Amino acid sequence: MSLTMENIKTKLGPADLKEGMTATKVKRFIGDYGIIILFVVILVFLAVAAPNFLTVNNIVNVVRQSSIIGLIALGMTFIMITAGIDLSVGSIVGLAGMTFALLAPASGGAFWLPLVAGLAVGLLVGFLSAALVVWGAILPFLATLATMAIARTAVLVMTDGQVVSGLSGPAEWLGSGFIGPVPVPVIIFLIAAVICEFVLSRTKFGSHVYAVGGNEESAKKVGISTSRVLFTVYLIGGVTAALGGLVLTARLDGAAPVAGTGYELQVIAAVVIGGTSLFGGVGTIRGTVIGVLLLGVVMNGMNLMGVSSYYQQGVQGIILVLAVLLNRWKSD
């Protein structure tokens, strides 16, 4: 006898079916809102455990510090929705920031020149990663591992491993300035997030990104240029990483060849915590913003509470595992 819906109804009965539907709704609710619930719980805990946490200055500081990782994570979201990954973003931060720092003093007040040059560096590295993935048919992990090494070598050779400091006023304003009471890095992050949210959720390109991540072969069959989509997302990732590097350099009033080291891991963690699947096809910019802020709040709270740095990475790891389990539970 075949197992049909009528058989299931006969064997289970109305009460069993109702209980199953309720369990499904609860599961879906936790899967959709679990990270937000966790975020709120952490906020409440830190508000009680760390008296200085809820001050205006501290909240502004948390968002400003998170904005750099946040900018990079926006581009990473596009890439990971296509089932890719970009390990070169930390090196792009260092290379773009160093380019910006070298050109800013010599720009003679032409603030746009070092900005464009820094963003162009990110675009170039993103293009190289895309070329290796699309034309070279190399796995994104390996392709971007290579571009990570290339970009880091380039910045070390440019300066012979030396730190560059002393930016001009306009360049420094990018990382330390305010527009009213709001820090400039926060404004840049919010504008970039709104643009990326619109592109991903409201445009044909955004739907193509999800289609490629869901099933690349099926996307090809319905006429989507998967090569163009993949090229574009790696270019977006390169530009947002470079923008993060420019803001970081301006905030520190200088650039170091090792700037951005390890950022790729923080960025990937934030994106995954925000609900983006490592297997592609699932993810949102809104979720990524929540993931970025959650990590920023946790790190800030632990610093305020005097938690040893030895334990801080472990706490991040626990949050990441919880996020992955929630995402898996939702998809089961």
Side-chain angles (χ1 to χ4, degrees):
M1 181 183 294
S2 61
L3 187 63
T4 64
M5 183 56 68
E6 291 300 323
N7 299 141
I8 294 174
K9 290 179 178 179
T10 302
K11 291 180 180 293
L12 294 180
D16 294 321
L17 289 174
K18 184 177 180 180
E19 183 179 347
M21 291 175 63
T22 302
T24 300
K25 289 180 180 179
V26 171
K27 180 179 178 181
R28 184 178 300 170
F29 177 82
I30 294 176
D32 289 338
Y33 301 103
I35 289 299
I36 298 177
I37 294 170
L38 178 61
F39 190 22
V40 172
V41 169
I42 291 173
L43 286 174
V44 172
F45 170 77
L46 291 176
V48 174
N52 295 330
F53 175 74
L54 282 182
T55 62
V56 174
N57 287 340
N58 187 62
I59 296 300
V60 170
N61 185 51
V62 170
V63 180
R64 179 167 53 188
Q65 289 180 339
S66 301
S67 62
I68 296 170
I69 294 295
L71 285 169
I72 308 169
L74 296 176
M76 185 70 80
T77 304
F78 282 86
I79 294 171
M80 291 180 65
I81 289 176
T82 64
I85 202 163
D86 191 349
L87 300 180
S88 69
V89 292
S91 297
I92 293 174
V93 167
L95 183 57
M98 185 60 72
T99 303
F100 179 67
L102 289 172
L103 292 178
S107 62
F111 183 50
W112 60 269
L113 178 60
L115 279 176
V116 171
L119 295 176
V121 165
L123 198 66
L124 178 61
V125 179
F127 178 86
L128 180 57
S129 295
L132 293 174
V133 171
V134 178
W135 295 338
I138 299 174
L139 291 173
F141 178 87
L142 296 176
T144 58
L145 188 64
T147 52
M148 176 181 74
I150 292 169
R152 188 63 70 187
T153 299
V155 69
L156 288 168
V157 170
M158 282 170 59
T159 61
D160 196 26
Q162 301 300 310
V163 173
V164 175
S165 59
L167 303 181
S168 61
E172 189 178 1
W173 175 84
L174 184 69
S176 303
F178 284 78
I179 296 180
V182 185
V184 172
V186 175
I187 294 174
I188 295 172
F189 174 47
L190 292 177
I191 292 174
V194 169
I195 293 172
C196 289
E197 169 67 19
F198 176 81
V199 170
L200 196 54
S201 63
R202 302 289 183 179
T203 67
K204 182 183 292 186
F205 171 74
S207 64
H208 289 178
V209 170
Y210 284 107
V212 172
N215 191 313
E216 187 173 347
E217 291 303 316
S218 297
K220 288 180 181 178
K221 290 178 181 179
V222 298
I224 295 174
S225 176
T226 57
S227 297
R228 183 179 301 171
V229 171
L230 291 174
F231 250 101
T232 304
V233 297
Y234 281 97
L235 293 178
I236 292 172
V239 170
T240 57
L243 185 56
L246 302 185
V247 174
L248 175 65
T249 300
R251 187 159 182 259
L252 298 178
D253 192 27
V258 295
T261 300
Y263 274 23
E264 57 276 353
L265 300 180
Q266 296 181 51
V267 168
I268 292 169
V271 175
V272 172
I273 288 170
T276 299
S277 172
L278 289 168
F279 301 102
V282 176
T284 64
I285 295 297
R286 296 187 300 275
T288 293
V289 171
I290 292 172
V292 168
L293 294 177
L294 192 153
L295 282 182
V297 163
V298 168
M299 295 302 295
N300 175 263
M302 287 191 292
N303 287 331
L304 291 176
M305 294 169 61
V307 176
S308 170
S309 59
Y310 297 151
Y311 298 106
Q312 292 187 12
Q313 290 188 0
V315 173
Q316 290 185 66
I318 292 171
I319 294 173
L320 178 58
V321 168
L322 288 174
V324 172
L325 290 176
L326 282 172
N327 291 339
R328 179 178 294 178
W329 193 39
K330 176 183 175 181
S331 61
D332 287 343

